[in-house]
Amino acid sequence: MIPALLVLNAGSSSLKFQVFEFQVSEFQVFEPQASEPQVLESAARGAPHRLFRGLVEDLGGSPRLTVRDRAGAVLADERLGAGAGHEDALLHLAGWLRAHRGGHALAAVGHRVVHGGLAYGGPVRVDEAVLRELERLVPLAPLHQPHNLEPIRIVRRQFPDLPQVACFDTAFHRDQPEVAQLFALPQEMTARGVRRYGFHGLSYAYIASVLGAYGPALPRSRVVAAHLGNGASLCALDGGRSVATTMGFSALDGLPMGTRAGSLDAGVVFYMLREMGLDPDEAEQLLYTRSGLLGVSGLSNDMRTLRARAATHPGARRAIDLFVYRIGREIGSLVAALGGIDALVFTGGIGENDAATRAEVLRAAAWAGFTLDEAANAAGGPRITRGPGPAAFVIPTDEEAMIARGVCAVLDEARQPAL
Ligand code: ADP
């Protein structure tokens, strides 16, 4: 049996996962509800090595499991029973892993959890007390946190001794200066947790960790990272640490996104509630699922569709223009927070793949001294500027690798002998 580290990113009706080979000095495998874990082998640990990635979609409906290898070849495409939920999906996946290519046994699970509140500035091994603390944060991220926590409960039930580690989207921003985390609200509101947390932290932590591969001085520089996907935000990195970011209390703040509005005058929400007759749930739905690129274009939340129609569909053009305009303005704000800029990094589905958006953003930020290298941009980078001004790069993000590293770090720490 090959020890496997399972990385989970759970949504309401989907379960994204990646499987890494888990090399540990002494490792245990866990079978569902087995009383005694089995100590299997000794091996030196290297960086987590990715084996598979996959998805269970349409949970609760007609779920389907797809697994691909590192090169993207499909290894499994299976239907689960109608109505199967997260628990069935996890058991099915564990069974598939046990049966596949020499057999993989679960040795640890890492979870992407959107909110770690103020308590967690890094990954944490989950026990009952941690889980209770994370459940207290559900009101801060009601659309994501419950779905992220459900698999943790399931794994605790099915594999009671299997080590689980939670890795948070908020954690990377916890060391920001206090002014960057405060709203101008009465102190009692701040004390009750109404403050800027920031998200996409796993992506930014990954980007910060690989900057050195793109330029020896970059890890010590002033960098604005732009995670542009269905969710979108910017983060100011000073010497690899987050000092400001565009998302705040919720993942609704900052840039317009696929279906989310981004920053909005709070007065608009009161107007929706009082004058337009929406109840809070309807207003929330509108701002999370019917706004952003979708709402403005009246066409799609998908940048590929908008680009394909931009020449003929005024809504598509308007949505792209607003997206780029807002990114340009927010870059200005983060450059002010950094006191200058040495590099801009594009990542996420749009940032990594859409050369037109990158070119438009660099034109909007030309005041900062960027000179676009059209050919390099069309080729996907990595460096897409030339000349003496600040540089721009395309760097693919890897949030799952960050979670795998987090799991290893937490479990290694636990294994250190006490002094
Ligand atoms: P999520 O935030 O859900 O992880 P992604 O990071 O996968 O989302 O980004 C999804 C976005 O990336 C969509 O708007 C999609 O259109 C866009 N995208 C993906 N590939 C391309 C491409 N080749 N050209 C333009 N946009 C792309």
Side-chain angles (χ1 to χ4, degrees):
M1 283 277 182
I2 299 161
L5 190 175
L6 178 63
V7 170
L8 293 177
N9 181 357
S12 59
S13 66
S14 72
L15 191 62
K16 287 189 200 156
F17 62 87
Q18 295 201 8
V19 179
F20 293 78
E21 187 169 343
F22 191 48
Q23 298 170 327
V24 287
S25 49
E26 184 187 77
F27 101 91
Q28 303 176 322
V29 289
F30 299 85
E31 300 296 329
Q33 285 152 354
S35 50
E36 285 298 313
Q38 232 186 313
V39 177
L40 270 196
E41 73 178 51
S42 288
R45 185 204 297 291
H49 172 73
R50 196 181 329 256
L51 299 170
F52 314 118
R53 65 177 79 219
L55 170 73
V56 188
E57 54 197 327
D58 202 14
L59 286 165
S62 312
R64 176 173 181 173
L65 165 77
T66 2
V67 189
R68 294 172 185 273
D69 68 10
R70 281 161 57 88
V74 176
L75 301 175
D77 185 353
E78 300 171 3
R79 292 221 172 266
L80 277 65
H86 288 77
E87 187 143 6
D88 307 298
L90 269 168
L91 288 173
H92 190 92
L93 176 59
W96 185 89
L97 286 170
R98 269 198 305 278
H100 195 76
R101 285 205 186 152
H104 295 77
L106 294 183
V109 185
H111 299 265
R112 180 182 186 167
V113 177
V114 68
H115 221 302
L118 289 182
Y120 300 115
V124 63
R125 177 138 181 198
V126 183
D127 58 18
E128 199 49 43
V130 169
L131 196 47
R132 272 202 302 277
E133 177 69 23
L134 297 180
E135 273 164 356
R136 274 192 340 101
L137 299 172
V138 164
L140 296 184
L143 302 185
H144 296 102
Q145 191 85 342
H147 306 302
N148 300 158
L149 300 185
E150 192 185 349
I152 300 183
R153 282 258 173 248
I154 293 170
V155 171
R156 280 177 73 75
R157 219 170 22 244
Q158 293 288 346
F159 305 84
D161 299 315
L162 184 59
Q164 299 197 75
V165 174
C167 301
F168 305 101
D169 276 307
T170 50
F172 188 60
H173 305 297
R174 275 300 47 76
D175 290 337
Q176 284 181 358
E178 191 187 22
V179 284
Q181 300 192 45
L182 284 180
F183 288 123
L185 288 171
Q187 289 173 16
E188 61 269 24
M189 300 295 290
T190 308
R192 290 185 58 179
V194 183
R195 53 198 300 151
R196 301 178 59 87
Y197 293 96
F199 298 88
H200 285 144
L202 293 162
S203 176
Y204 294 127
Y206 176 80
I207 297 294
S209 78
V210 298
L211 281 174
Y214 295 84
L218 283 178
R220 297 181 306 282
S221 303
R222 298 162 301 179
V223 175
V224 172
H227 180 109
L228 308 177
N230 265 320
S233 69
L234 306 179
C235 179
L237 298 165
D238 195 355
R241 298 165 77 99
S242 169
V243 294
T245 188
T246 57
M247 279 180 173
F249 178 70
S250 70
L252 197 53
D253 199 10
L255 304 177
M257 307 176 215
T259 61
R260 287 174 247 168
S263 298
L264 192 74
D265 177 346
V268 174
V269 181
F270 301 127
Y271 186 79
M272 286 177 178
L273 300 183
R274 282 211 200 93
E275 306 299 329
M276 303 177 84
L278 275 64
D279 69 31
D281 287 344
E282 288 168 336
E284 186 176 57
Q285 280 290 105
L286 187 148
L287 295 176
Y288 270 95
T289 66
R290 289 165 47 206
S291 301
L293 296 175
L294 173 65
V296 176
S297 69
L299 177 68
S300 174
N301 65 315
D302 192 301
M303 184 56 87
R304 279 167 294 202
T305 309
L306 298 180
R307 285 282 168 203
R309 300 284 301 280
T312 53
H313 190 290
R317 188 67 254 171
R318 194 179 306 123
I320 294 172
D321 288 348
L322 178 55
F323 186 59
V324 171
Y325 170 78
R326 292 292 317 166
I327 295 169
R329 280 189 50 179
E330 292 293 338
I331 287 173
S333 162
L334 294 190
V335 173
L338 284 167
I341 182 166
D342 303 304
L344 177 62
V345 171
F346 290 95
T347 194
I350 299 172
E352 291 168 30
N353 297 299
D354 190 17
T357 293
R358 294 195 298 260
E360 288 168 19
V361 167
L362 286 177
R363 276 197 282 276
W367 57 270
F370 293 103
T371 308
L372 177 68
D373 180 335
E374 305 250 5
N377 186 40
R383 184 174 171 145
I384 58 170
T385 48
R386 55 187 159 73
F393 295 91
V394 181
I395 303 182
T397 195
D398 194 342
E399 290 153 303
E400 291 78 11
M402 218 51 223
I403 297 173
R405 285 186 211 168
V407 173
C408 294
V410 166
L411 298 185
D412 272 348
E413 203 173 293
R415 220 173 277 118
Q416 299 298 323
L419 291 176

